[in-house]
Structure formats: structure tokens, C-alpha cells
Amino acid sequence: MRKLINAPADVVSDALRGMAAAHPSLKVDPANGTVIRGDAPRTGKVALVSGGGSGHEPLHAGFVGHGMLDAACCGEVFTSPVPDQIIAATMAVDGGAGVLHLVKNYTGDVMNFQMAAELAEDEDIEVVSVVVDDDVAVEDSTFTAGRRGTGATLFAEKIAGALAEEGAPLADVAAAAREVNERSRSFGVALSSCTVPAAGTPTFELGEDEMELGIGIHGEPGRERVRVGTAEQIVDAALSAIDADMPLSGSEVLVLVNGMGGTPLIEQYVAYAAAARWLEGHGATVVRSLVGPYVTSLEMAGCMISVCRVTPELTRLWDAPVETPGLRWGR
Amino acid sequence: MSAGSTDTGSMDAGDFAAWIRSTAGRVSADAERLTRLDAAIGDGDHGLNLDRGFRAAVEALPEDAPPGKVLIVAGRAIVSKTGGASGPLYGTVLRRAGKSFGDAAGVDAAALGAALRAALEGVQDLGKAAEGDKTMVDALAPAVAAYEAALADGSDLAGCARAAAEAASKGADGTVPMRARKGRASYLGERSEGHMDPGASSTALVLEALADTAGEG
């Protein structure tokens, strides 16, 4: 394992110390793993709290700021945060208008946020939870834990965050997050494994000519292992899977081509060119796009494609000003 | 076992503290193996997380508290330090078991059986998993059933705990051919077959520690 770390056990707290130094406008608590907007709590504003395992940077701590999250709870690498962190963040940002918990659909995240929401109730803080589950690679049935929450989490955080910034009530902000989730689908591909610092060895081994189709964001293997293809073929596999689940023809779409952490931007643009061509060829109109590593899996190579079928109102909220370490425009 | 044991045996607060310490030691020694099992079908952190959680539980163990309190405090420490699904699930095991003891200073074989049953129900409420889903329930459920069967046959506490540990270990082995339907391994579908479930494996460790603790003295 060759990594830029001091000690495996200190990766998350050391990284948060770095965030604190680089972004003095944020209130960072490295010991407790919370990142909070400097101007929180804002009286009368619905607060957004998200979080999850670390290792997906800039998600979620990098999306704390104006127009997006009020707080992020950073768990250990690939491990959900604990209820203590979530309740501390929730109490720190509540401005009396309630708090939206945005939770990715992983068993541990759902359980820990649920326990924290119950504790918040004891503190008379109104909490609504929206679970993001956009990953079409997972068979969705009553016999599985359900679809994973992946790239669409970024869409939900940005769009619900914009609405909260405008002063909308909790019910409306939660409804927007749900609408984004219902209109979004994602599919990921891994070209290499990543190494969790505390484990020290790659989570899985891929042969020289192999790739994993349908991965999540934790280095967990995907739904099948196949021979590696061209960018065109990979993008076709991803978008075909999305289109089969949520037909895209005739829709205006917001597209994210997301690097998983170990793939350079030049390859992400190669993938985006293929994605834009594919979507045009299948009758969809790309109205907004984002290319870059936003929801990563440590140094895993590969990409994830997320698509949201937007409405004019969702596009307007996507365009609204945002100022965070990981996403910034219009301000 | 503590002084004042009846014929069927009993455990006091010191025995339960010893159980938590023994579990922590086993989890620590086996952390790498558990993490490897998890890497095969999950995200490769189970041993690391559980090690962090049980270390915290040992540090939190209260002095001069009844058995129920010992387990509740240990369970809370695990929820606060472990994260993932293991934190809430193992925290629930200990807290539910502890609650079922009330303020009792000594726990007999029947009370321990009731506590294990309460722990199983807590895990199933929280995780919504049933036997056959390839989770810790596949070790815990047969362990509770074996404990109750041994109790009905007139075994003492140590014998019941040993029966539970053996059933848990067999239950964990039985997860190897299963296809996961809950937790992160469920995303793999048929590719989850052929690997032992890490949660079932760690549950077997916890019950092995209980049997050894109950059998001492």
C-alpha cells in the first residue's frame, strides 16, 4: 500500500484537519467527524444534513456550503457515521424550520440515520429522511436491501439545497429530494479495485483484461465481471441499463459522468463524448452536464454515469448559486 | 462461574464483563479474517469496525453495576464507535439482552435464554432479516433455538451456552452456499454464493466467547 497518509487509523481525522485549514469558512470537527457551514444555524431555514462513509470525496463534506448541505457527517472509510455524529450535526444546524436527512441506501447508513432521527425527535427537532436509491445495477426486490444510493445523491443535495436556500418549508424541500431521486438512475463500472487504508490490500483483484460492471461506491464488486471494453462500449452498457429501467427518449436530462477517483479527466471526457452521442442518438436532450470526480471510491479507476430527467423547475434549482469546496457556480 | 451458583449455574456482572473482554480479544485476533470474508462479498471492513467497537465496549465497562447495566453500557459504546450496520446490530444484541435482565444481580440459565431470544428479536426488527438471508441471523437464530432446547433438556447454563455456540458455528458454516438477500452482499446476487457471511462468522465468535466464559470457574 502506497498512500499519502500518516497512520491508517487517522486518515479521516487528518483529512478533516486539512479541510479545516483549507476552508476556514467551514466549522470542522476532526475528532467527531462533522463538517458544518460557518453560518449555521440559520434561523427559519430548513437545514440539510447528509453523510456516509469517507472515501467518496468530495461527497459529502465537500458539498457543505451556500446552496447545498448545512452539515456532513463523515464516517470511517466506507463505514457509515454513528448516531452520535448525526445527532450532533443535526442539532448544530437546526434553525427551527426542521432538518432534512439525505441518506444513501446502504443498510448501515439507513440504520444509523434512523437511530439519529429518533434521538432528534427527543430534542424536539423535526427531521424528515429521504433515502436515495438510484443504482440500476442492483435488482430491486423485496429480497434484497434495495438499490444503492450513488451519483444521484449529488443531484438531490444540490437541488434540495437550492430550494432550502430560497426559504421553502421542510415538506417541499423533502419532496424535491424525493422527486430528484425518482427521476434519477445511475450505473457504474470499475476498471481497478481500491485499497481501504485500514485493510492495506485491494478489496478485489481484477485481471488485466477484466472490468466490473454495475459497481457501487465502496469497492464492492459489481453485478458481473466481463472483458474490458472501449469507452464507447462501457458507456453503452451503462446507459442501456439506465434506459431499460427509465426510458430516456423524449426527456430533457441532467447528466453526470463521474470519475471514481483513479481515472483521469481526459478519460472522463472520452466517456462523456460517448455519453452525449448515445443520448442524442436515443432521443434525449442533454440540458445540463457535469464531468469530474464527484462521488468517488478512493483510487478506484472507472466511471459512473448518472442521469436525471429534469423539469424546468429542477433545472432552475440546479442552476441556482452554490458555493462549496467541491461544487461552486453563480456566486 | 460466580460464587453462589445454583445447580443450573448463573452469571454475575463480573462474568458478563469477562464475556465482553473475551469477545473483544477474539474479534481483535480474528479481525483480519473477518475483514477478508467481508472483502469477498461486502466492502471489506467488518473485522476492523467490530474491533473498534468491542475495544470501546471494554473501555466503557462500568464498575459495580448489575449485569443488565454492563451489557447496556457496552452496547451503547458499540453503537457510538462501530458505524456501518455492525454498530446498530451488535449494539442492539447487547442492549436488548441487558434490558431483559432488569436490575437482577445474578442471571440464571433461563434468564440468559430469554435475553438471547430478546437479542435475536431486536436484530430481526432492525435488520428485517430472516433465516436464509445470509446474515448474522443465520448464526444467532439457531444458537437461540439450541440454547432453549438444551435448557428444556435440563442442561445447566454452561451446557446451554455451549450448545448455542456450537449451533452458531454450524449456522455460520451454513451461510457459505447461500445467496445473500440482505446487507451489502445482496448486491452481488448469485456471486455471493460460496462465501461465509462475515456477520454470521462474528456472531459465532461472540457465542463461543459466551460459552467459554460460562464454562469457567
Coordinates of all heavy atoms in Angstrom, one line a residue, chain A residues 220-288:
Chain A
E220 N -17.0 -2.5 -3.5 CA -17.6 -3.8 -3.6 C -17.8 -4.2 -5.1 O -18.1 -3.4 -5.9 CB -19.0 -3.9 -2.9 CG -20.1 -3.1 -3.5 CD -20.3 -1.7 -3.0 OE1 -19.2 -1.1 -2.9 OE2 -21.4 -1.3 -2.9
P221 N -17.5 -5.5 -5.4 CA -17.7 -5.9 -6.8 C -19.0 -5.6 -7.3 O -20.0 -5.5 -6.6 CB -17.3 -7.4 -6.7 CG -17.0 -7.7 -5.4 CD -17.1 -6.5 -4.5
G222 N -19.1 -5.6 -8.6 CA -20.4 -5.3 -9.3 C -21.2 -6.5 -9.6 O -21.0 -7.5 -9.0
R223 N -22.2 -6.4 -10.6 CA -23.1 -7.5 -10.8 C -22.5 -8.5 -11.7 O -22.9 -9.7 -11.7 CB -24.4 -7.0 -11.3 CG -24.5 -6.4 -12.7 CD -25.9 -6.2 -13.1 NE -26.1 -5.4 -14.3 CZ -27.2 -5.0 -14.8 NH1 -28.3 -5.2 -14.2 NH2 -27.2 -4.3 -15.9
E224 N -21.5 -8.1 -12.6 CA -20.8 -9.1 -13.3 C -19.5 -8.6 -13.8 O -19.2 -7.5 -13.8 CB -21.7 -9.6 -14.6 CG -22.0 -8.5 -15.5 CD -22.8 -9.0 -16.7 OE1 -22.6 -10.1 -17.2 OE2 -23.5 -8.2 -17.3
R225 N -18.6 -9.6 -14.0 CA -17.2 -9.3 -14.4 C -17.1 -9.7 -15.9 O -17.5 -10.8 -16.3 CB -16.2 -10.1 -13.6 CG -14.8 -9.8 -13.9 CD -13.9 -10.4 -12.8 NE -14.1 -9.7 -11.5 CZ -13.2 -9.9 -10.5 NH1 -12.2 -10.7 -10.6 NH2 -13.5 -9.3 -9.4
V226 N -16.7 -8.8 -16.7 CA -16.6 -9.0 -18.2 C -15.3 -8.6 -18.7 O -14.5 -7.9 -18.0 CB -17.8 -8.3 -18.9 CG1 -19.1 -8.7 -18.4 CG2 -17.6 -6.8 -18.7
R227 N -15.1 -8.9 -20.0 CA -13.8 -8.4 -20.7 C -13.9 -6.9 -20.8 O -15.0 -6.4 -21.1 CB -13.7 -9.1 -22.0 CG -13.1 -10.5 -22.0 CD -12.9 -11.0 -23.4 NE -12.0 -10.2 -24.2 CZ -10.7 -10.4 -24.2 NH1 -10.2 -11.4 -23.4 NH2 -9.9 -9.7 -24.9
V228 N -12.8 -6.3 -20.6 CA -12.8 -4.8 -20.7 C -13.1 -4.4 -22.1 O -12.8 -5.0 -23.1 CB -11.4 -4.3 -20.2 CG1 -10.3 -4.5 -21.2 CG2 -11.5 -2.8 -19.8
G229 N -13.9 -3.3 -22.2 CA -14.3 -2.8 -23.5 C -13.8 -1.4 -23.8 O -13.0 -0.8 -22.9
T230 N -14.1 -0.8 -24.9 CA -13.8 0.6 -25.2 C -14.7 1.5 -24.4 O -15.7 1.0 -23.8 CB -14.0 0.9 -26.7 OG1 -15.4 0.7 -27.0 CG2 -13.2 -0.1 -27.6
A231 N -14.3 2.8 -24.4 CA -15.2 3.7 -23.7 C -16.6 3.7 -24.2 O -17.6 3.8 -23.5 CB -14.6 5.1 -23.8
E232 N -16.7 3.6 -25.6 CA -18.0 3.6 -26.2 C -18.8 2.4 -25.7 O -20.0 2.5 -25.4 CB -17.8 3.4 -27.7 CG -17.2 4.5 -28.5 CD -18.2 5.5 -29.1 OE1 -19.4 5.3 -28.9 OE2 -17.7 6.4 -29.7
Q233 N -18.1 1.2 -25.6 CA -18.9 0.0 -25.1 C -19.3 0.1 -23.7 O -20.4 -0.3 -23.3 CB -18.0 -1.2 -25.3 CG -17.8 -1.6 -26.8 CD -16.7 -2.6 -27.1 OE1 -15.7 -2.7 -26.3 NE2 -16.8 -3.3 -28.2
I234 N -18.4 0.7 -22.9 CA -18.7 0.9 -21.4 C -19.9 1.8 -21.2 O -20.8 1.5 -20.5 CB -17.4 1.4 -20.7 CG1 -16.4 0.2 -20.6 CG2 -17.8 1.8 -19.3 CD1 -15.0 0.7 -20.2
V235 N -19.8 2.9 -21.9 CA -20.9 3.9 -21.8 C -22.2 3.3 -22.4 O -23.3 3.5 -21.8 CB -20.5 5.2 -22.6 CG1 -21.7 6.1 -22.8 CG2 -19.4 5.9 -21.9
D236 N -22.1 2.6 -23.4 CA -23.3 1.9 -24.0 C -23.9 1.0 -23.0 O -25.1 0.9 -22.8 CB -23.0 1.2 -25.3 CG -24.2 0.5 -25.8 OD1 -25.2 1.1 -26.2 OD2 -24.2 -0.8 -25.9
A237 N -23.1 0.2 -22.3 CA -23.6 -0.7 -21.3 C -24.3 0.0 -20.1 O -25.4 -0.4 -19.7 CB -22.4 -1.6 -20.7
A238 N -23.7 1.1 -19.7 CA -24.2 1.9 -18.6 C -25.5 2.6 -19.0 O -26.6 2.4 -18.3 CB -23.2 2.9 -18.1
L239 N -25.5 3.3 -20.1 CA -26.7 4.0 -20.5 C -27.9 3.1 -21.0 O -29.0 3.3 -20.8 CB -26.4 5.0 -21.6 CG -25.7 6.3 -21.0 CD1 -25.2 7.2 -22.1 CD2 -26.7 7.1 -20.1
S240 N -27.5 1.9 -21.5 CA -28.5 0.9 -21.9 C -29.2 0.4 -20.7 O -30.5 0.2 -20.7 CB -27.9 -0.2 -22.7 OG -27.4 0.2 -23.9
A241 N -28.5 0.2 -19.6 CA -29.0 -0.3 -18.4 C -30.0 0.7 -17.8 O -31.1 0.4 -17.3 CB -27.9 -0.7 -17.4
I242 N -29.5 2.0 -17.8 CA -30.4 3.1 -17.3 C -31.6 3.2 -18.1 O -32.8 3.3 -17.6 CB -29.6 4.4 -17.3 CG1 -28.5 4.3 -16.2 CG2 -30.5 5.6 -17.0 CD1 -27.5 5.5 -16.2
D243 N -31.5 3.2 -19.4 CA -32.6 3.4 -20.4 C -33.6 2.3 -20.3 O -34.8 2.5 -20.4 CB -32.1 3.5 -21.8 CG -33.1 3.9 -22.8 OD1 -33.8 5.0 -22.6 OD2 -33.4 3.1 -23.7
A244 N -33.1 1.1 -20.0 CA -34.1 -0.1 -19.8 C -34.9 0.1 -18.6 O -36.1 -0.4 -18.5 CB -33.3 -1.4 -19.8
D245 N -34.4 0.8 -17.6 CA -35.1 0.9 -16.3 C -36.0 2.2 -16.4 O -37.0 2.3 -15.8 CB -34.1 1.0 -15.2 CG -34.8 0.8 -13.8 OD1 -35.0 -0.3 -13.5 OD2 -35.0 1.9 -13.2
M246 N -35.4 3.2 -17.0 CA -36.1 4.5 -17.0 C -35.9 5.1 -18.5 O -34.9 5.7 -18.7 CB -35.5 5.5 -16.0 CG -36.2 6.9 -16.0 SD -35.4 8.0 -14.7 CE -33.9 8.4 -15.6
P247 N -36.9 4.9 -19.3 CA -36.7 5.3 -20.7 C -36.4 6.8 -20.8 O -37.0 7.6 -20.2 CB -38.1 5.0 -21.3 CG -38.7 3.9 -20.5 CD -38.2 4.2 -19.1
L248 N -35.4 7.1 -21.6 CA -34.8 8.4 -21.7 C -35.3 9.2 -22.9 O -35.2 10.4 -23.0 CB -33.3 8.4 -21.7 CG -32.7 7.8 -20.4 CD1 -31.2 7.6 -20.6 CD2 -32.9 8.7 -19.2
S249 N -35.9 8.5 -23.9 CA -36.3 9.1 -25.2 C -37.3 10.2 -24.9 O -38.3 10.0 -24.1 CB -36.8 8.1 -26.1 OG -37.3 8.7 -27.3
G250 N -37.1 11.4 -25.5 CA -38.1 12.5 -25.3 C -37.9 13.3 -24.1 O -38.6 14.2 -23.8
S251 N -36.9 13.0 -23.2 CA -36.7 13.7 -22.0 C -35.6 14.7 -22.1 O -34.6 14.5 -22.9 CB -36.3 12.7 -20.9 OG -37.3 11.8 -20.6
E252 N -35.7 15.7 -21.2 CA -34.6 16.6 -21.0 C -33.8 16.1 -19.8 O -34.4 15.7 -18.8 CB -35.1 18.1 -20.7 CG -35.8 18.7 -21.8 CD -35.9 20.2 -21.7 OE1 -35.9 20.7 -20.5 OE2 -35.9 20.9 -22.7
V253 N -32.5 15.9 -20.0 CA -31.7 15.3 -18.9 C -30.5 16.1 -18.4 O -29.9 16.8 -19.2 CB -31.2 13.9 -19.4 CG1 -32.4 12.9 -19.6 CG2 -30.4 14.0 -20.6
L254 N -30.3 15.8 -17.1 CA -29.1 16.3 -16.5 C -28.2 15.1 -16.4 O -28.6 14.0 -15.9 CB -29.4 16.8 -15.1 CG -28.4 16.9 -14.0 CD1 -27.3 17.9 -14.4 CD2 -29.0 17.3 -12.7
V255 N -26.9 15.2 -16.9 CA -26.0 14.0 -16.9 C -24.8 14.3 -16.1 O -24.2 15.3 -16.2 CB -25.6 13.7 -18.4 CG1 -24.7 12.5 -18.4 CG2 -26.8 13.6 -19.3
L256 N -24.4 13.3 -15.3 CA -23.1 13.3 -14.6 C -22.3 12.2 -15.1 O -22.7 11.0 -15.0 CB -23.4 13.2 -13.1 CG -22.2 12.8 -12.2 CD1 -21.2 14.0 -12.1 CD2 -22.6 12.5 -10.7
V257 N -21.1 12.5 -15.6 CA -20.1 11.4 -15.9 C -19.1 11.6 -14.7 O -18.4 12.6 -14.6 CB -19.5 11.5 -17.2 CG1 -18.2 10.6 -17.3 CG2 -20.5 11.1 -18.3
N258 N -19.1 10.6 -13.8 CA -18.4 10.7 -12.6 C -17.2 9.8 -12.5 O -17.3 8.6 -12.7 CB -19.4 10.4 -11.5 CG -18.8 10.3 -10.1 OD1 -18.3 11.3 -9.6 ND2 -18.8 9.2 -9.5
G259 N -16.0 10.4 -12.3 CA -14.8 9.6 -12.2 C -14.8 9.0 -10.8 O -15.2 9.6 -9.8
M260 N -14.4 7.7 -10.7 CA -14.4 7.0 -9.4 C -13.2 7.3 -8.5 O -13.1 6.8 -7.5 CB -14.5 5.5 -9.7 CG -15.8 5.0 -10.4 SD -17.3 5.6 -9.7 CE -17.3 4.9 -8.1
G261 N -12.3 8.1 -9.0 CA -11.2 8.5 -8.1 C -9.8 8.2 -8.8 O -8.8 8.9 -8.5
G262 N -9.8 7.2 -9.6 CA -8.5 6.8 -10.2 C -8.4 6.9 -11.7 O -7.5 6.4 -12.4
T263 N -9.4 7.6 -12.3 CA -9.5 7.7 -13.7 C -9.3 9.2 -14.1 O -10.0 10.1 -13.6 CB -10.8 7.2 -14.3 OG1 -10.8 5.8 -14.3 CG2 -11.0 7.7 -15.7
P264 N -8.3 9.5 -14.9 CA -8.0 11.0 -15.2 C -9.2 11.6 -16.0 O -10.0 10.9 -16.6 CB -6.7 10.9 -16.0 CG -6.6 9.5 -16.5 CD -7.4 8.6 -15.6
L265 N -9.2 12.9 -15.9 CA -10.2 13.7 -16.5 C -10.3 13.5 -18.0 O -11.4 13.5 -18.6 CB -10.0 15.2 -16.2 CG -11.3 16.1 -16.1 CD1 -12.4 15.5 -15.3 CD2 -10.9 17.4 -15.5
I266 N -9.1 13.3 -18.6 CA -9.2 13.1 -20.1 C -10.0 11.9 -20.5 O -10.8 11.9 -21.4 CB -7.7 13.0 -20.7 CG1 -7.7 13.0 -22.2 CG2 -7.0 11.8 -20.1 CD1 -6.3 13.1 -22.8
E267 N -9.9 10.8 -19.7 CA -10.7 9.6 -19.9 C -12.2 9.9 -19.6 O -13.1 9.3 -20.3 CB -10.2 8.4 -19.1 CG -8.8 8.0 -19.6 CD -8.3 6.8 -18.8 OE1 -9.1 6.0 -18.3 OE2 -7.0 6.8 -18.5
Q268 N -12.4 10.7 -18.6 CA -13.8 11.0 -18.3 C -14.5 11.8 -19.4 O -15.6 11.6 -19.7 CB -13.9 11.8 -17.0 CG -13.4 11.0 -15.7 CD -13.3 11.9 -14.5 OE1 -14.2 12.7 -14.2 NE2 -12.3 11.7 -13.8
Y269 N -13.7 12.7 -20.0 CA -14.2 13.4 -21.2 C -14.4 12.5 -22.4 O -15.4 12.6 -23.2 CB -13.3 14.6 -21.6 CG -13.7 15.8 -20.7 CD1 -12.8 16.3 -19.8 CD2 -14.9 16.4 -20.9 CE1 -13.2 17.4 -19.0 CE2 -15.3 17.5 -20.1 CZ -14.4 18.0 -19.2 OH -14.7 19.1 -18.4
V270 N -13.6 11.5 -22.6 CA -13.8 10.5 -23.6 C -15.1 9.8 -23.4 O -15.9 9.6 -24.3 CB -12.6 9.5 -23.6 CG1 -13.0 8.3 -24.6 CG2 -11.3 10.1 -24.1
A271 N -15.4 9.5 -22.1 CA -16.6 8.8 -21.8 C -17.8 9.8 -22.0 O -18.9 9.4 -22.5 CB -16.6 8.3 -20.3
Y272 N -17.6 11.1 -21.6 CA -18.7 12.0 -21.8 C -19.1 12.2 -23.2 O -20.3 12.3 -23.6 CB -18.4 13.4 -21.1 CG -19.6 14.2 -21.3 CD1 -20.7 14.0 -20.5 CD2 -19.7 15.2 -22.2 CE1 -21.9 14.7 -20.6 CE2 -20.9 16.0 -22.4 CZ -21.9 15.7 -21.6 OH -23.1 16.4 -21.7
A273 N -18.0 12.2 -24.1 CA -18.3 12.3 -25.5 C -19.2 11.2 -26.0 O -20.2 11.4 -26.8 CB -17.0 12.3 -26.3
A274 N -18.9 10.0 -25.5 CA -19.7 8.8 -25.9 C -21.1 8.9 -25.3 O -22.1 8.6 -26.0 CB -19.0 7.5 -25.4
A275 N -21.2 9.4 -24.1 CA -22.5 9.5 -23.4 C -23.4 10.6 -24.2 O -24.6 10.3 -24.4 CB -22.3 10.0 -22.0
A276 N -22.8 11.7 -24.5 CA -23.6 12.7 -25.2 C -24.1 12.2 -26.5 O -25.2 12.4 -26.9 CB -22.7 14.0 -25.4
R277 N -23.2 11.5 -27.3 CA -23.6 10.9 -28.5 C -24.7 9.9 -28.4 O -25.7 9.9 -29.1 CB -22.4 10.3 -29.2 CG -22.5 10.2 -30.7 CD -21.1 10.1 -31.4 NE -20.2 9.2 -30.7 CZ -19.0 9.5 -30.3 NH1 -18.5 10.8 -30.5 NH2 -18.2 8.7 -29.7
W278 N -24.5 9.1 -27.3 CA -25.5 8.0 -27.1 C -26.9 8.6 -26.8 O -27.9 8.2 -27.4 CB -25.0 7.1 -25.9 CG -25.8 5.8 -25.7 CD1 -25.4 4.6 -26.1 CD2 -27.1 5.7 -25.1 NE1 -26.3 3.7 -25.8 CE2 -27.4 4.3 -25.2 CE3 -28.0 6.5 -24.6 CZ2 -28.6 3.7 -24.7 CZ3 -29.2 6.0 -24.1 CH2 -29.5 4.6 -24.2
L279 N -26.9 9.6 -25.9 CA -28.2 10.2 -25.5 C -28.9 10.9 -26.7 O -30.1 10.7 -26.9 CB -27.9 11.2 -24.4 CG -27.6 10.5 -23.0 CD1 -26.9 11.5 -22.1 CD2 -28.8 9.9 -22.4
E280 N -28.1 11.6 -27.5 CA -28.7 12.3 -28.7 C -29.2 11.2 -29.6 O -30.4 11.4 -30.1 CB -27.6 13.1 -29.4 CG -28.1 14.0 -30.4 CD -27.0 14.6 -31.3 OE1 -25.8 14.5 -30.9 OE2 -27.3 15.1 -32.4
G281 N -28.5 10.1 -29.8 CA -29.0 9.1 -30.7 C -30.2 8.3 -30.2 O -30.9 7.7 -30.9
H282 N -30.5 8.5 -28.9 CA -31.6 7.8 -28.3 C -32.7 8.8 -28.0 O -33.6 8.5 -27.1 CB -31.2 6.9 -27.1 CG -30.4 5.7 -27.5 ND1 -29.1 5.7 -27.9 CD2 -30.8 4.4 -27.6 CE1 -28.7 4.5 -28.2 NE2 -29.7 3.7 -28.0
G283 N -32.7 9.9 -28.5 CA -33.8 10.9 -28.4 C -33.9 11.7 -27.1 O -34.9 12.2 -26.8
A284 N -32.8 11.7 -26.4 CA -32.8 12.5 -25.1 C -32.1 13.8 -25.4 O -31.2 13.9 -26.3 CB -32.1 11.8 -24.0
T285 N -32.5 14.9 -24.7 CA -31.8 16.2 -24.9 C -31.1 16.5 -23.6 O -31.7 16.6 -22.5 CB -32.9 17.3 -25.1 OG1 -33.7 16.9 -26.2 CG2 -32.2 18.6 -25.4
V286 N -29.8 16.6 -23.7 CA -28.9 17.0 -22.6 C -29.1 18.5 -22.3 O -28.6 19.3 -23.1 CB -27.5 16.6 -22.8 CG1 -26.6 17.0 -21.5 CG2 -27.3 15.1 -23.0
V287 N -29.6 18.9 -21.2 CA -29.8 20.3 -20.9 C -28.7 20.8 -19.9 O -28.3 22.0 -19.9 CB -31.2 20.7 -20.3 CG1 -32.2 20.5 -21.4 CG2 -31.5 19.9 -19.1
R288 N -28.1 19.9 -19.1 CA -27.0 20.3 -18.2 C -26.1 19.0 -18.0 O -26.6 17.9 -18.1 CB -27.6 20.7 -16.8 CG -28.4 21.9 -16.7 CD -27.6 23.2 -17.1 NE -28.5 24.3 -17.0 CZ -29.3 24.8 -17.9 NH1 -29.3 24.2 -19.1 NH2 -30.0 25.9 -17.7

